[in-house]
């Protein structure tokens, strides 16, 4: 069952929030497709979007390649196998930082200015391309059990061409552009495909053009033309009567070869350094403003294995500062988007029935700046005799300082059910500490609501570069509710007969979370949480996650279990079968087989941690690991850790020399260094203009971010492994380069349920209720 409702998609009879990541299949070796997709899924991604890149497949006139990295049919089959949906971005012009916008070289040379027009010769080539891909797509539609849920025709027609490659933006006449899109639409419908279109073209009247459709757009945390910029203000998005699913919410940015104006962070190459807090804040903003789907561009970095790069970006590395790097390592933005992805996965229905409401709440900070936030020197006479502008004086006279926030609120008969406030304190320039933040909610459009002020027991703080999603009256299970919390929700799932709620905050914060139950007794908590009873039915847990994993249980085995962790640990969340867990490893898969669970994990160090929240005693086994277990008695927090003695990165000794003004580093790589390795990654930090890496003379990586972004060089995709190979790093203008070696290896773990179910007496430990 697949339906397009007014505000969201319904798949399999269930409203779905589309959490998508763009995956450039031709830039990623097919051998690692599965692992990369599993990493995306682990972050809460449920949909994969990708461009169908013409130049990948038609290498010469009517000569087609659908093998290896270009096997779209295999990719779609893999997505279906992993339970992921797909957004099929057809083009034929795709941009995406591909040479000539994805057009084959022979076509550009033959047709020139006829591209992206209604010229019959061009349309003939485009139709041939479309029919090739529609034949593949037709086997994988959601309506026949496949993964494809949406189609995109063309890309930014009327608004963008291919900069540096002289590909036009389309026609200057809107009527001609409409005919152009209608041509592609007809081809899709003639192929028997009746799925909605997602439209990112700038054409007058596009709302009526393609019939069944989904509204979309894009937003980036910074401009590619060399400015830091700031995130736009939070504001509700106008509903046009169709779902809004962003197709390009940026989670990074590329460098381009521009000379003026020089960007301060990339030594003359343009393209800003994107900070992880801005990526997380922008994603949350898209949700707060009313989206029923967020599509990230681009989620996995990759490499051009041929001459497929747009002429104004680096030749080899498509380094978009994406959450997953081209070597498969995880950046901080991955952890931020994972926290949001898990929240949306657990509270999907709750968030989809809400609507943006700018009047439901106001947030103001009343506390003074955190120590160290005052920009003055500390001299008591700083500013003596200085006049304060009238506007600034008037702002200071207001009670508190406004905090940026927007609520998504449920309206209708279930008044006050599932409301969320999206608050942020993120800036590309400076974000000061927001202390003693008070939330005032109003009965705006909610007839049974009353004026409220939160929090009730603690001071709410927003440290610099942080965001929060604050919940209000969220149903956890029958007759059990979360009244409110100053921590951000991460996960909700069953825990035996109880429901388990996981929330997180920074270690600098003291949080409160209040619950409504038929009967809160019995109540118990770990020492890091204090309990406040308001009535037999209302109880609050107050505390900080600074000590580790804290837990509280209300209402016994059929009630509510509350887990509080810190923000960093929340970014390491993972699924171990039906259990929530946290790990320093990247968990790729966990598959239950009877009473056992088999785990496949990717590790980049010789030590691991794995915390599993399970009501049953567990044992962890790994042939190569020395495993230790530490438990929190009675609370099901089972913390495994261990050493991986065989995990040793090879030692590489580099010979350093100069060639003119270039710094040159050379070493030898042998096949045994890559034996049993998922990859061998060099992390280089240098002070030159840019860097290039060669393996036996072949360019395998290039980097243009200087010291502002670590240069990662992966060897697995390029080594022939048939003998010793010379690795050369060349850094024009460089004086120094520091290199670290990281070994990535896969490990298999086995979890068994232990028969020693709490037979040994628990140590004496004070776990009873504590009053605030």
């Amino acid at each position: 069952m697949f339906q397009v409702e007014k505000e969201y998609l319904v798949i399999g009879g269930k409203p779905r929030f589309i959490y998508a990541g763009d995956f450039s299949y031709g830039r990623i070796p097919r051998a690692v497709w599965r692992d990369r997709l599993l990493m995306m899924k682990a972050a809460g991604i449920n949909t994969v979007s990708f461009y169908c890149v013409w130049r990948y497949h038609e290498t010469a006139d009517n000569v087609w390649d659908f093998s290896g990295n270009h096997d779209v049919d295999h990719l779609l089959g893999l997505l279906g196998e992993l339970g992921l949906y797909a957004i099929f971005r057809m083009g034929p012009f795709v941009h995406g930082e591909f040479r000539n916008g994805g057009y084959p070289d022979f076509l550009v040379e033959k047709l020139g200015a006829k591209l992206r027009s209604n010229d019959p010769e061009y349309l003939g080539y485009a139709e041939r391309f479309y029919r090739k891909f529609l034949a593949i797509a037709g086997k994988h539609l959601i309506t026949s059990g496949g993964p494809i849920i949406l189609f995109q025709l063309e890309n930014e027609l009327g608004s963008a061409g291919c900069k540096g490659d002289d590909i036009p933006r389309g026609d200057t006449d809107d009527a001609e552009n409409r005919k152009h899109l209608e041509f592609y639409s007809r081809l899709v419908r003639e192929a028997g495909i009746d799925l909605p279109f997602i439209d990112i073209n700038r054409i007058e009247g596009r709302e009526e053009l393609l019939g069944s459709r989904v509204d979309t757009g894009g937003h980036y945390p910074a401009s590619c033309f060399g400015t830091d910029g700031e995130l736009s203000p939070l504001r509700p998005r106008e509903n046009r009567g169709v779902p809004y699913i962003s197709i390009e919410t940026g989670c990074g940015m590329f460098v381009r070869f521009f000379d003026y104006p020089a960007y301060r962070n990339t030594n003359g190459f343009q393209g800003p350094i994107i900070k992880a807090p801005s990526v997380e804040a922008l994603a949350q903003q898209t949700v707060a403003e009313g989206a029923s789907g967020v599509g990230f561009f681009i989620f996995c970095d990759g490499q051009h294995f041929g001459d497929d790069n747009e002429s104004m970006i680096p030749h080899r590395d498509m380094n978009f500062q994406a959450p997953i790097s081209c070597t498969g390592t995880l950046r901080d933005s991955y952890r931020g988007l994972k926290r949001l992805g898990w929240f949306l996965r657990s509270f999907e229905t709750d968030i989809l029935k809400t609507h943006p409401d700018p009047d439901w709440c106001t947030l103001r900070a009343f506390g003074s700046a955190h120590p160290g936030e005052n920009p003055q020197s500390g001299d008591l006479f700083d500013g003596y005799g200085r006049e304060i502008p009238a506007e600034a004086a008037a702002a200071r006279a207001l009670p508190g300082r406004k905090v940026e926030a927007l609520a998504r609120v449920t309206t209708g008969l279930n008044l006050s059910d599932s409301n969320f406030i999206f608050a942020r304190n993120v800036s590309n320039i400076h974000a000061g500490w927001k202390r003693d933040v008070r939330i005032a909610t109003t009965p705006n459009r909610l007839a049974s609501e009353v004026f409220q002020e939160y929090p009730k027991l603690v001071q709410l703080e927003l440290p610099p570069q942080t965001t929060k999603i604050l919940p209000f009256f969220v149903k956890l299970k029958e007759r059990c509710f979360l009244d409110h919390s100053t921590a951000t929700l991460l996960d909700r799932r069953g825990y035996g007969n109880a429901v388990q709620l996981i929330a997180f905050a920074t270690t600098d914060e003291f949080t409160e979370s209040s619950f409504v139950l038929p009967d809160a007794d019995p109540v118990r908590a770990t020492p890091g949480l204090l309990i406040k009873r308001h009535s037999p039915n209302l109880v609050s847990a107050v505390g900080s996650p600074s000590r580790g994993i804290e837990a509280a249980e209300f209402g016994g085995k059929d009630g509510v279990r509350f887990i509080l962790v810190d923000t960093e640990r929340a970014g390491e969340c993972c699924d171990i079968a039906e259990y929530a867990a946290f790990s320093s490893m990247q968990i790729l898969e966990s598959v239950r087989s009877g009473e056992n669970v088999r785990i496949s994990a990717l590790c980049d160090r010789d030590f691991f941690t794995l915390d599993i929240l399970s009501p049953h005693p567990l044992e962890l086994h790994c042939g190569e690991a020395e495993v230790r277990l530490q438990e929190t008695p009675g609370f099901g927090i089972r913390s495994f850790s261990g050493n991986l003695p065989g995990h040793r990165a090879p030692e590489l000794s580099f010979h350093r020399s100069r060639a003119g003004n270039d710094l040159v580093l050379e070493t030898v790589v042998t096949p045994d260094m890559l034996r049993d390795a998922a990859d061998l990654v060099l992390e280089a930090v240098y002070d030159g203009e840019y860097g290039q890496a060669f393996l036996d003379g072949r360019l395998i990586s290039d980097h243009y971010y200087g010291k502002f972004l670590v240069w990662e060089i992966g060897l697995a995709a390029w080594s022939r492994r048939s003998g010793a190979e010379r690795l050369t790093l060349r850094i024009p203008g460089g004086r120094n380069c520091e290199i670290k070696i990281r070994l990535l290896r896969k490990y298999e773990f086995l979890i068994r349920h232990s028969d020693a179910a709490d037979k040994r007496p628990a140590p004496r430990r004070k776990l009873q209720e504590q009053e605030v």
Side-chain angles (χ1 to χ4, degrees):
M1 179 181 178
F2 179 82
Q3 292 176 279
V4 182
E5 299 293 343
K6 182 179 178 182
E7 294 173 341
Y8 48 76
L9 302 182
V10 175
I11 306 176
K14 180 185 176 183
R16 296 309 312 263
F17 193 101
I18 302 304
Y19 201 58
D22 207 86
F23 184 85
S24 188
Y25 58 89
R27 290 168 169 152
I28 300 170
R30 175 170 167 166
V32 298
W33 279 2
R34 184 183 181 86
D35 284 357
R36 296 291 197 275
L37 293 171
L38 287 170
M39 291 177 187
M40 294 173 70
K41 186 175 182 179
I45 295 293
N46 58 24
T47 304
V48 172
S49 62
F50 57 87
Y51 285 126
C52 301
V53 184
W54 194 344
R55 68 177 293 110
Y56 278 168
H57 301 279
E58 193 172 8
T59 55
D61 195 348
N62 210 23
V63 177
W64 297 87
D65 180 5
F66 287 96
S67 63
N69 290 19
H70 305 157
D71 191 345
V72 181
D73 185 64
H74 175 75
L75 174 62
L76 287 166
L78 186 56
L79 293 177
E81 176 191 333
L82 297 178
L84 295 166
Y85 304 128
I87 299 177
F88 208 70
R89 308 183 73 179
M90 280 289 294
F93 174 83
V94 297
H95 196 200
E97 290 69 59
F98 295 102
R99 182 180 302 281
N100 297 321
Y103 285 122
D105 290 340
F106 83 87
L107 195 67
V108 176
E109 294 168 4
K110 184 174 184 177
L111 298 185
K114 294 180 181 179
L115 297 172
R116 296 188 92 185
S117 75
N118 291 319
D119 176 81
E121 187 177 11
Y122 168 69
L123 292 181
Y125 281 105
E127 180 173 351
R128 187 172 72 185
F129 162 75
Y130 253 65
R131 293 197 184 281
K132 284 278 187 183
F133 274 85
L134 291 176
I136 297 171
K139 301 184 291 182
H140 298 279
L141 306 179
I142 189 71
T143 48
S144 55
I148 300 176
I149 57 173
L150 297 170
F151 271 78
Q152 179 184 320
L153 309 181
E154 250 286 345
N155 187 61
E156 299 174 324
L157 184 66
S159 64
C162 196
K163 303 172 185 66
D165 291 343
D166 299 324
I167 303 299
R169 298 184 177 188
D171 205 289
T172 56
D173 184 352
D174 255 12
E176 287 297 306
N177 286 334
R178 286 174 64 90
K179 285 173 57 179
H180 200 63
L181 287 184
E182 286 170 339
F183 172 77
Y184 298 129
S185 172
R186 178 176 57 80
L187 292 177
V188 174
R189 297 309 184 215
E190 286 178 354
I193 297 172
D194 195 28
L195 293 176
F197 293 120
I198 192 165
D199 183 23
I200 198 169
N201 302 291
R202 187 173 295 176
I203 296 173
E204 190 69 29
R206 68 183 183 132
E207 291 81 1
E208 295 79 34
L209 179 60
L210 299 177
S212 177
R213 57 182 293 277
V214 171
D215 196 13
T216 192
H219 193 181
Y220 283 84
S223 167
C224 63
F225 297 107
T227 58
D228 278 322
E230 285 289 12
L231 299 176
S232 59
L234 291 164
R235 59 171 68 93
R237 176 173 292 277
E238 176 190 358
N239 185 279
R240 300 180 180 179
V242 294
Y244 177 80
I245 299 172
S246 78
I247 196 67
E248 286 192 20
T249 293
C251 47
M253 187 52 68
F254 47 77
V255 288
R256 285 184 181 277
F257 297 132
F258 282 92
D259 294 323
Y260 180 82
Y263 186 71
R264 63 184 175 85
N265 277 358
T266 49
N267 299 323
F269 298 102
Q270 279 194 315
I273 303 299
I274 304 298
K275 303 295 186 182
S278 295
V279 173
E280 189 173 4
L282 182 62
Q284 288 192 15
Q285 175 175 350
T286 307
V287 179
E289 293 180 341
S292 60
V294 182
F296 297 107
F297 190 86
I298 192 167
F299 209 88
C300 291
D301 276 334
Q303 293 186 297
H304 298 108
F305 296 102
D307 294 326
D308 295 314
N309 60 301
E310 186 183 30
S311 63
M312 300 177 83
I313 69 170
H315 182 81
R316 185 63 71 213
D317 285 18
M318 176 52 187
N319 191 343
F320 206 79
Q321 306 173 57
I324 301 175
S325 77
C326 62
T327 63
T329 58
L330 307 180
R331 295 193 169 109
D332 286 342
S333 58
Y334 176 90
R335 297 169 181 87
L337 297 183
K338 186 182 212 180
R339 291 188 287 263
L340 177 60
W342 271 50
F343 163 75
L344 292 170
R345 185 180 74 171
S346 290
F347 299 93
E348 182 174 46
T349 303
D350 302 78
I351 202 72
L352 285 173
K353 68 183 179 182
T354 62
H355 304 88
D357 189 335
D359 303 319
W360 187 72
C361 69
T362 56
L363 277 67
R364 301 193 76 84
F366 290 84
S368 58
H370 188 274
E373 288 295 314
N374 193 327
Q376 296 183 358
S377 69
D379 191 321
L380 292 175
F381 294 97
D382 263 358
Y384 177 77
R386 182 184 59 197
E387 292 187 9
I388 299 175
E391 298 83 3
R396 285 176 178 272
L398 293 172
R401 300 180 305 283
K402 189 171 183 180
V403 176
E404 196 173 14
L406 178 62
R408 280 188 67 151
V409 180
T410 303
T411 57
L413 294 178
N414 294 321
L415 304 176
S416 305
D417 187 10
S418 296
N419 306 320
F420 302 93
I421 294 175
F422 293 76
R424 76 181 183 196
N425 183 25
V426 174
S427 168
N428 284 326
I429 299 171
H430 177 73
W433 202 289
K434 301 290 192 301
R435 306 186 72 197
D436 191 11
V437 178
R438 301 179 196 175
I439 303 167
T441 63
T442 76
N444 180 51
R445 290 190 289 277
L446 302 176
S448 298
E449 185 58 277
V450 296
F451 290 96
Q452 291 273 9
E453 184 175 287
Y454 302 92
K456 309 290 187 180
L457 302 171
V458 302
Q459 285 193 5
L460 172 61
E461 299 194 25
L462 273 175
Q465 309 298 1
T466 60
T467 57
K468 278 186 173 292
I469 304 176
L470 303 171
F472 296 84
F473 215 67
V474 176
K475 186 175 182 179
L476 301 177
K477 60 179 294 187
E478 193 64 32
R479 303 174 67 198
C480 294
F481 295 83
L482 172 64
D483 182 80
H484 70 276
S485 178
T486 61
T488 297
L489 299 185
L490 179 71
D491 185 65
R492 171 178 58 186
R493 69 180 68 199
Y495 186 88
N497 293 329
V499 62
Q500 176 177 273
L501 182 72
I502 304 178
F504 66 91
T506 69
T507 55
D508 298 307
E509 300 173 71
F510 209 62
T511 68
E512 72 175 63
S513 302
S514 295
F515 299 87
V516 180
L517 301 92
D519 185 354
D521 279 331
V523 174
R524 62 198 195 102
T526 54
L529 290 178
L530 305 176
I531 304 301
K532 170 68 177 178
R533 292 174 180 271
H534 305 276
S535 74
N537 311 104
L538 180 61
V539 62
S540 297
V542 178
S544 168
S546 58
R547 293 166 51 93
I549 301 175
E550 301 293 348
E553 294 182 354
F554 312 110
K557 293 183 178 180
D558 297 325
V560 173
R561 171 181 163 91
F562 175 63
I563 301 292
L564 181 66
V565 298
D566 66 86
T567 303
E568 183 176 350
R569 192 187 298 264
E572 297 178 342
C573 55
C574 55
D575 291 305
I576 301 297
E578 69 271 26
Y579 307 132
F582 307 94
S583 181
S584 61
M585 302 179 289
Q586 174 61 43
I587 304 297
L588 297 174
E589 280 187 293
S590 66
V591 179
R592 176 173 288 285
S593 176
E595 290 298 304
N596 298 333
V597 178
R598 297 190 178 276
I599 300 171
S600 174
L602 191 64
C603 197
D604 64 352
R605 64 198 75 176
D606 60 2
F607 180 79
F608 75 90
T609 61
L610 176 60
D611 304 302
I612 305 177
L613 305 178
S614 165
H616 310 292
L618 303 174
E619 297 175 352
L620 179 68
H621 300 272
C622 177
E624 300 182 57
E626 304 166 5
V627 180
R628 295 176 291 277
L629 171 62
Q630 181 177 343
E631 299 181 82
T632 304
F635 284 91
I637 303 172
R638 312 182 193 279
S639 299
F640 297 96
S641 61
N643 296 306
L644 299 166
H647 193 110
R648 293 189 181 92
E651 295 184 5
L652 288 175
S653 179
F654 285 87
H655 176 264
R656 298 172 185 245
S657 63
R658 302 202 69 84
N661 196 38
D662 296 356
L663 174 64
V664 179
L665 294 86
E666 293 183 292
T667 191
V668 173
V669 178
T670 57
D672 61 293
M673 294 179 179
L674 287 160
R675 188 176 297 118
D676 300 325
D679 206 345
L680 189 64
V681 179
L682 280 64
E683 293 185 344
V685 177
Y686 59 93
D687 62 356
E689 296 176 3
Y690 61 93
Q692 294 177 311
F694 301 87
L695 196 61
D696 274 359
R698 295 168 292 137
L699 178 66
I700 65 170
S701 180
D702 46 10
H703 185 268
Y704 291 83
Y705 291 94
K707 63 183 179 181
F708 299 98
L709 187 72
V710 173
W711 181 15
E712 295 186 29
I713 307 164
L715 301 182
W718 293 97
S719 175
R720 296 191 177 106
R721 308 192 192 194
S722 57
E725 298 170 285
R726 180 162 295 278
L727 175 64
T728 304
L729 274 61
R730 181 177 289 270
I731 304 167
R735 293 173 297 172
N736 188 42
C737 178
E738 300 298 327
I739 298 175
K740 293 182 180 179
I741 311 296
R742 293 176 65 185
L743 175 67
L744 302 182
R745 281 190 64 187
K746 278 187 184 179
Y747 292 90
E748 301 297 322
F749 294 85
L750 178 67
I751 291 181
R752 293 195 180 106
H753 285 93
S754 173
D755 293 330
D758 288 341
K759 290 182 180 178
R760 56 188 181 278
R764 300 178 67 85
R765 189 176 182 189
K766 189 176 181 181
L767 295 171
Q768 66 267 28
E769 173 189 333
Q770 304 170 61
E771 295 291 336
V772 175

